[in-house]
Amino acid sequence: MKLLQVRKGQFVYYQNELHKVYTINPLAKKSVHMYRIKDMEQVTSKAEEITLHRPSHMDAFMFMGQWYTIREDLEPEVDGYILVTKPDPEPMSHYGLNEFEKVEQIEGRTVVTGRQNPIKRKEFVVLQEGRNPEARNIAYQDDSLVSEETLAEDAKLGAKLSRTQEIQPNIGDIYLNLHNGGRSMVVAVMGDDVWLGHGEKLKIEDLLDADHWTLVYVNTEFVL
């Protein structure tokens, strides 16, 4: 791809694996910042090293260690996930292209997500849990290049990420915001409260919410 074609939120292939672009720094040598969708591992690359993929009906992929299938023919359910493919946010809403959102309420043809975003039905597709037998596997651009070892690691990924999320936050740990791609370091922990490097204060239970944050670095030198 050319840099001018790259947009925040796009699904792209990098080194054969499905990623999502979360920011672009045109002044950097590796200007495209993205995370691997299956486990949220962050990487940077040049625009010419990635290939665009537009998610569509019956595509299946891994998100945070779990398989999901895109369904345009299903209706959303409370506690289920949706993928925003045609964002048209209201002024006070905070979501963009290919945002993963968890449904908290359903109000007619609009859902309200866990981040309190009202999203109209025409803006999203439903993420059906599991890999539908008739779905296209888009986790990899070319399945023939995937080793047996990688497939075995993928099979264990859900349990591995679940254990990681159970780790209590400690000073020096780094968490990834799943909605804006930003990383924040824990700089203080007091009681049930956590302070992040950019000044934000959160409850521990909010930081451990797998729908919003994921742990990407564990500081083993400082444990509370």
Side-chain angles (χ1 to χ4, degrees), residues 58 60 67-69 71 128-137:
M58 295 302 287
W67 280 97
Y68 291 91
T69 301
R71 299 295 297 265
Q128 180 187 39
E129 191 169 347
R131 181 178 172 183
N132 190 293
E134 299 179 2
R136 293 178 298 274
N137 179 5

Side-chain angles (χ1 to χ4, degrees), residues 59-101:
D59 279 354
F61 58 92
M62 291 186 75
F63 169 55
M64 288 293 293
Q66 302 294 330
W67 280 97
Y68 291 91
T69 301
I70 294 176
R71 299 295 297 265
E72 295 179 350
D73 56 344
L74 297 181
E75 292 302 315
E77 297 180 354
V78 173
D79 291 332
Y81 281 99
I82 60 172
L83 179 69
V84 181
T85 53
K86 299 177 182 178
D88 183 22
E90 297 179 358
M92 298 301 291
S93 297
H94 302 282
Y95 63 90
L97 178 64
N98 291 332
E99 203 81 72
F100 296 100
E101 294 270 356

Side-chain angles (χ1 to χ4, degrees), residues 134-150:
E134 299 179 2
R136 293 178 298 274
N137 179 5
I138 65 166
Y140 296 96
Q141 188 174 18
D142 186 347
D143 288 343
S144 67
L145 300 178
V146 185
S147 67
E148 291 296 327
E149 181 181 0
T150 297

